[in-house]
Amino acid sequence: MGSLSRSSTPEFSPLEVAEDLAPLPEYKAATTTALDFDGLLPEPLKLHEDLKTGCGGQLWPAGMVLAKHMLRYHREKLENARILELGAGGGLVGLSVAKGCKINGPLYITDQLEMYDLMQHNIALNGLTDRVKGVLLNWGEPLSQEIVDFRPNVILAADCVYFEPAFPLLHKTLGDLFTLCPEATVYFCFKKRRRADMQFMAKAKKAFHVTEIEDDDRSIFSREKLFLYSFTSKR
Ligand SMILES: C[S@@+](CC[C@H](N)C(=O)[O-])C[C@H]1O[C@@H](n2cnc3c(N)ncnc32)[C@H](O)[C@@H]1O
């Protein structure tokens, strides 16, 4: 099991202060939220949020941007894609795609053990058990045989850049996924909160082709320091 649980995440400690620390979303009580992304989902996605096992238990801003982007621009383009989400938390992005885009499943949402029950809960809550699989994928660790066999070619990652010690682990997993499937595309949305986040992007630009993606809402979300990229292999 990976070690990056909420308790080991320094920026979630109220006692921890960094000079360039921007506020992260506030904790809130467990709740179920309904989202239709401005009508892009005819039937709303129900997402249970609960922070008791980790920070992925709530909706994050980059997840909202990426989910909406996929629904708006990829609704008809994913029919034959093999889709996998990294750091899915409660499954915001992957479940939105499974609900609103034409896919010939299965779609994998992945995270650490701490998020496993919440992922399963939200898959069932939306009646998506036949199309979505929630599995464990700890960044930095070898990919499981199930993922190797699946060979994902569309990878979703939202708000996965927030904890510096995890940067090399995420980088390694992205590299492993490109080794497995060099024609894969990663849709990557992140919110810049501190200077180190740009170091992740600088390293990503060295290793992968990184392209900023067009989106009609870009001028709005970029004001919130949210960035939307695609990564492809340099090979
Ligand atoms: C900030 S949350 C984003 C959740 C969701 N993608 C969203 O946008 O709402 C980051 C997620 O990454 C996961 N994560 C952190 N470190 C990880 C690791 N080493 N391996 C796998 N997942 C990790 C966390 O458990 C958490 O669910």
Side-chain angles (χ1 to χ4, degrees), residues 201-228:
M201 286 311 302
K203 203 173 164 205
K205 281 177 185 165
K206 277 194 188 143
F208 320 121
H209 279 299
V210 175
T211 310
E212 198 157 4
I213 305 178
E214 286 301 324
D215 186 297
D216 281 352
D217 288 343
R218 191 160 88 180
S219 63
I220 300 166
F221 61 69
S222 62
R223 270 185 249 139
E224 304 295 321
K225 296 190 178 166
L226 284 152
F227 299 90
L228 189 54

Short mmCIF file of all heavy atoms in Angstrom, two decimals, residues 201-228:
data_model
loop_
_atom_site.label_atom_id
_atom_site.label_comp_id
_atom_site.label_asym_id
_atom_site.label_seq_id
_atom_site.Cartn_x
_atom_site.Cartn_y
_atom_site.Cartn_z
N MET A 201 5.79 20.18 -13.69
CA MET A 201 5.50 20.42 -15.11
C MET A 201 6.79 20.51 -15.92
O MET A 201 6.86 20.02 -17.05
CB MET A 201 4.68 21.69 -15.29
CG MET A 201 3.23 21.55 -14.88
SD MET A 201 2.39 20.10 -15.57
CE MET A 201 2.60 20.36 -17.32
N ALA A 202 7.82 21.12 -15.35
CA ALA A 202 9.09 21.25 -16.08
C ALA A 202 9.65 19.85 -16.38
O ALA A 202 10.12 19.57 -17.49
CB ALA A 202 10.08 22.05 -15.25
N LYS A 203 9.56 18.96 -15.39
CA LYS A 203 10.06 17.60 -15.59
C LYS A 203 9.18 16.85 -16.60
O LYS A 203 9.69 16.11 -17.45
CB LYS A 203 10.07 16.87 -14.24
CG LYS A 203 11.04 15.72 -14.22
CD LYS A 203 11.20 15.11 -12.86
CE LYS A 203 11.86 13.75 -13.04
NZ LYS A 203 11.58 12.81 -11.97
N ALA A 204 7.88 17.09 -16.52
CA ALA A 204 6.98 16.44 -17.47
C ALA A 204 7.30 16.88 -18.90
O ALA A 204 7.31 16.07 -19.82
CB ALA A 204 5.52 16.76 -17.12
N LYS A 205 7.61 18.18 -19.06
CA LYS A 205 7.90 18.69 -20.41
C LYS A 205 9.19 18.09 -20.98
O LYS A 205 9.32 17.94 -22.19
CB LYS A 205 7.99 20.22 -20.38
CG LYS A 205 6.61 20.86 -20.35
CD LYS A 205 6.66 22.36 -20.24
CE LYS A 205 5.24 22.89 -20.09
NZ LYS A 205 5.15 24.26 -19.63
N LYS A 206 10.11 17.74 -20.09
CA LYS A 206 11.34 17.10 -20.57
C LYS A 206 11.05 15.67 -21.04
O LYS A 206 11.62 15.19 -22.01
CB LYS A 206 12.38 17.04 -19.45
CG LYS A 206 13.13 18.34 -19.32
CD LYS A 206 14.37 18.17 -18.47
CE LYS A 206 14.95 19.54 -18.22
NZ LYS A 206 15.51 19.71 -16.90
N ALA A 207 10.16 15.00 -20.32
CA ALA A 207 9.94 13.57 -20.59
C ALA A 207 8.87 13.31 -21.65
O ALA A 207 8.94 12.32 -22.37
CB ALA A 207 9.56 12.86 -19.29
N PHE A 208 7.86 14.20 -21.72
CA PHE A 208 6.71 13.94 -22.60
C PHE A 208 6.45 15.16 -23.47
O PHE A 208 6.90 16.25 -23.16
CB PHE A 208 5.44 13.66 -21.77
CG PHE A 208 5.66 12.81 -20.55
CD1 PHE A 208 5.33 13.28 -19.27
CD2 PHE A 208 6.19 11.52 -20.65
CE1 PHE A 208 5.53 12.50 -18.13
CE2 PHE A 208 6.39 10.73 -19.52
CZ PHE A 208 6.07 11.23 -18.26
N HIS A 209 5.66 14.96 -24.55
CA HIS A 209 5.14 16.11 -25.29
C HIS A 209 3.99 16.68 -24.48
O HIS A 209 3.00 15.99 -24.25
CB HIS A 209 4.59 15.68 -26.65
CG HIS A 209 5.64 15.51 -27.68
ND1 HIS A 209 6.45 16.54 -28.08
CD2 HIS A 209 6.01 14.43 -28.40
CE1 HIS A 209 7.29 16.09 -29.00
NE2 HIS A 209 7.05 14.82 -29.20
N VAL A 210 4.10 17.92 -24.08
CA VAL A 210 3.05 18.54 -23.25
C VAL A 210 2.42 19.66 -24.06
O VAL A 210 3.11 20.55 -24.56
CB VAL A 210 3.67 19.09 -21.95
CG1 VAL A 210 2.62 19.85 -21.14
CG2 VAL A 210 4.25 17.96 -21.11
N THR A 211 1.12 19.62 -24.22
CA THR A 211 0.41 20.63 -25.02
C THR A 211 -0.73 21.20 -24.19
O THR A 211 -1.50 20.44 -23.59
CB THR A 211 -0.20 19.96 -26.28
OG1 THR A 211 0.80 19.19 -26.91
CG2 THR A 211 -0.74 21.00 -27.25
N GLU A 212 -0.85 22.51 -24.16
CA GLU A 212 -1.98 23.10 -23.47
C GLU A 212 -3.23 22.91 -24.33
O GLU A 212 -3.19 23.10 -25.55
CB GLU A 212 -1.73 24.58 -23.17
CG GLU A 212 -2.68 25.07 -22.11
CD GLU A 212 -2.18 26.30 -21.36
OE1 GLU A 212 -1.12 26.85 -21.70
OE2 GLU A 212 -2.89 26.72 -20.42
N ILE A 213 -4.31 22.51 -23.72
CA ILE A 213 -5.52 22.15 -24.49
C ILE A 213 -6.47 23.34 -24.55
O ILE A 213 -6.67 24.05 -23.57
CB ILE A 213 -6.26 20.97 -23.81
CG1 ILE A 213 -5.34 19.77 -23.62
CG2 ILE A 213 -7.48 20.57 -24.62
CD1 ILE A 213 -6.02 18.60 -22.92
N GLU A 214 -7.05 23.51 -25.74
CA GLU A 214 -8.08 24.55 -25.93
C GLU A 214 -9.35 24.16 -25.17
O GLU A 214 -9.74 23.00 -25.15
CB GLU A 214 -8.43 24.67 -27.41
CG GLU A 214 -7.38 25.38 -28.25
CD GLU A 214 -7.10 26.79 -27.76
OE1 GLU A 214 -8.04 27.47 -27.32
OE2 GLU A 214 -5.92 27.19 -27.80
N ASP A 215 -9.97 25.15 -24.58
CA ASP A 215 -11.26 24.93 -23.91
C ASP A 215 -11.93 26.29 -23.82
O ASP A 215 -11.27 27.28 -23.48
CB ASP A 215 -11.01 24.34 -22.51
CG ASP A 215 -12.29 23.93 -21.80
OD1 ASP A 215 -13.14 24.80 -21.52
OD2 ASP A 215 -12.43 22.73 -21.52
N ASP A 216 -13.23 26.34 -24.14
CA ASP A 216 -13.93 27.63 -24.11
C ASP A 216 -13.90 28.29 -22.74
O ASP A 216 -14.07 29.49 -22.62
CB ASP A 216 -15.39 27.45 -24.54
CG ASP A 216 -15.50 27.35 -26.06
OD1 ASP A 216 -14.48 27.59 -26.74
OD2 ASP A 216 -16.60 27.03 -26.55
N ASP A 217 -13.71 27.50 -21.70
CA ASP A 217 -13.68 28.07 -20.33
C ASP A 217 -12.27 28.41 -19.87
O ASP A 217 -12.07 28.78 -18.72
CB ASP A 217 -14.27 27.06 -19.33
CG ASP A 217 -15.77 26.92 -19.46
OD1 ASP A 217 -16.39 27.80 -20.09
OD2 ASP A 217 -16.31 25.92 -18.95
N ARG A 218 -11.29 28.30 -20.78
CA ARG A 218 -9.90 28.44 -20.32
C ARG A 218 -9.65 29.79 -19.65
O ARG A 218 -8.99 29.87 -18.62
CB ARG A 218 -8.93 28.22 -21.46
CG ARG A 218 -7.49 28.10 -20.95
CD ARG A 218 -6.59 27.43 -21.93
NE ARG A 218 -6.00 28.38 -22.84
CZ ARG A 218 -5.15 28.06 -23.81
NH1 ARG A 218 -4.82 26.81 -24.00
NH2 ARG A 218 -4.64 28.97 -24.59
N SER A 219 -10.21 30.85 -20.22
CA SER A 219 -9.94 32.17 -19.63
C SER A 219 -10.52 32.24 -18.21
O SER A 219 -10.01 32.97 -17.37
CB SER A 219 -10.51 33.28 -20.50
OG SER A 219 -11.91 33.16 -20.58
N ILE A 220 -11.57 31.49 -17.97
CA ILE A 220 -12.18 31.51 -16.62
C ILE A 220 -11.34 30.68 -15.66
O ILE A 220 -10.92 31.14 -14.61
CB ILE A 220 -13.64 30.96 -16.68
CG1 ILE A 220 -14.47 31.83 -17.61
CG2 ILE A 220 -14.25 30.90 -15.28
CD1 ILE A 220 -15.81 31.20 -18.00
N PHE A 221 -11.02 29.42 -16.06
CA PHE A 221 -10.31 28.59 -15.07
C PHE A 221 -8.84 28.97 -14.92
O PHE A 221 -8.24 28.74 -13.87
CB PHE A 221 -10.55 27.08 -15.26
CG PHE A 221 -10.11 26.45 -16.56
CD1 PHE A 221 -8.77 26.31 -16.87
CD2 PHE A 221 -11.05 25.94 -17.44
CE1 PHE A 221 -8.37 25.69 -18.04
CE2 PHE A 221 -10.66 25.31 -18.62
CZ PHE A 221 -9.32 25.19 -18.93
N SER A 222 -8.27 29.60 -15.96
CA SER A 222 -6.86 29.98 -15.80
C SER A 222 -6.70 31.11 -14.77
O SER A 222 -5.67 31.22 -14.12
CB SER A 222 -6.22 30.35 -17.13
OG SER A 222 -6.86 31.46 -17.68
N ARG A 223 -7.77 31.87 -14.57
CA ARG A 223 -7.72 32.90 -13.50
C ARG A 223 -7.58 32.24 -12.13
O ARG A 223 -7.08 32.83 -11.19
CB ARG A 223 -9.02 33.73 -13.53
CG ARG A 223 -8.90 34.94 -14.42
CD ARG A 223 -10.17 35.79 -14.31
NE ARG A 223 -10.90 35.73 -15.55
CZ ARG A 223 -12.22 35.62 -15.68
NH1 ARG A 223 -13.00 35.56 -14.63
NH2 ARG A 223 -12.78 35.59 -16.88
N GLU A 224 -8.07 31.00 -12.04
CA GLU A 224 -7.95 30.25 -10.78
C GLU A 224 -6.67 29.42 -10.75
O GLU A 224 -6.54 28.49 -9.97
CB GLU A 224 -9.15 29.30 -10.62
CG GLU A 224 -10.51 29.96 -10.68
CD GLU A 224 -10.75 30.91 -9.52
OE1 GLU A 224 -10.32 30.57 -8.40
OE2 GLU A 224 -11.32 31.98 -9.77
N LYS A 225 -5.77 29.71 -11.68
CA LYS A 225 -4.50 28.98 -11.78
C LYS A 225 -4.71 27.50 -12.07
O LYS A 225 -4.01 26.63 -11.56
CB LYS A 225 -3.64 29.17 -10.54
CG LYS A 225 -3.23 30.61 -10.34
CD LYS A 225 -2.19 30.69 -9.25
CE LYS A 225 -1.74 32.14 -9.09
NZ LYS A 225 -1.00 32.39 -7.91
N LEU A 226 -5.73 27.22 -12.85
CA LEU A 226 -5.98 25.85 -13.29
C LEU A 226 -5.48 25.70 -14.73
O LEU A 226 -5.73 26.59 -15.57
CB LEU A 226 -7.47 25.54 -13.22
CG LEU A 226 -8.00 25.29 -11.81
CD1 LEU A 226 -9.46 25.65 -11.68
CD2 LEU A 226 -7.78 23.83 -11.41
N PHE A 227 -4.78 24.61 -14.99
CA PHE A 227 -4.17 24.38 -16.31
C PHE A 227 -4.59 23.01 -16.83
O PHE A 227 -4.63 22.04 -16.07
CB PHE A 227 -2.65 24.44 -16.21
CG PHE A 227 -2.14 25.77 -15.73
CD1 PHE A 227 -1.95 26.01 -14.38
CD2 PHE A 227 -1.88 26.80 -16.64
CE1 PHE A 227 -1.49 27.24 -13.93
CE2 PHE A 227 -1.43 28.03 -16.20
CZ PHE A 227 -1.23 28.26 -14.85
N LEU A 228 -4.86 22.98 -18.12
CA LEU A 228 -5.31 21.74 -18.75
C LEU A 228 -4.33 21.38 -19.86
O LEU A 228 -4.10 22.19 -20.77
CB LEU A 228 -6.70 22.01 -19.32
CG LEU A 228 -7.55 20.89 -19.86
CD1 LEU A 228 -7.73 19.77 -18.84
CD2 LEU A 228 -8.93 21.44 -20.26
#
